[in-house]
Amino acid sequence: MEIGLKVRGILTIAAAGSALLVGEVIQRTLVVAAVRLFPSKRDRVLAWWQQLLARAMLGSARLVGGARHTEIPHIEGGPGTLVLMTHQSLMDIP
């Protein structure tokens, strides 16, 4: 494997990890506050936050890692839709 690819891979993981660390602080302060202040908009706030995290993960893969994909996948919610998440769910969502 070419050394440049290894470096890009390591930098991609570092960028995604950094985004998750910053996101953790934002989630535990601003997102929680928004959900508590606007309980009727809870689903909208959480969906927006999840999309933002997905964009951060895919953005680091695109910009740093050189991944090529066009758009963030969209899963239609509703009756009969089941999304399973693991402890790695922030990386699984994108």
Side-chain angles (χ1 to χ4, degrees):
M1 179 181 253
E2 185 181 321
I3 290 187
L5 291 177
K6 288 181 183 180
V7 171
R8 282 177 82 170
I10 291 168
L11 290 175
T12 300
I13 291 171
S18 298
L20 289 176
L21 286 173
V22 170
E24 178 74 17
V25 174
I26 294 170
Q27 180 175 320
R28 292 186 181 267
T29 56
L30 299 178
V31 174
V32 169
V35 167
R36 287 187 180 160
L37 286 172
F38 308 105
S40 63
K41 296 183 181 186
R42 178 182 188 272
D43 289 342
R44 188 179 303 165
V45 169
L46 294 177
W48 171 82
W49 178 245
Q50 200 167 28
Q51 285 293 316
L52 185 66
L53 286 177
R55 290 184 202 293
M57 294 299 103
L58 290 175
S60 61
R62 281 182 189 145
L63 295 173
V64 181
R68 288 173 279 181
H69 42 82
T70 55
E71 59 187 60
I72 293 177
H74 180 73
I75 299 172
E76 289 294 329
T81 302
L82 176 64
V83 177
L84 298 176
M85 301 166 117
T86 67
H87 65 284
Q88 301 168 341
S89 61
L90 289 177
M91 294 300 287
D92 293 342
I93 292 168

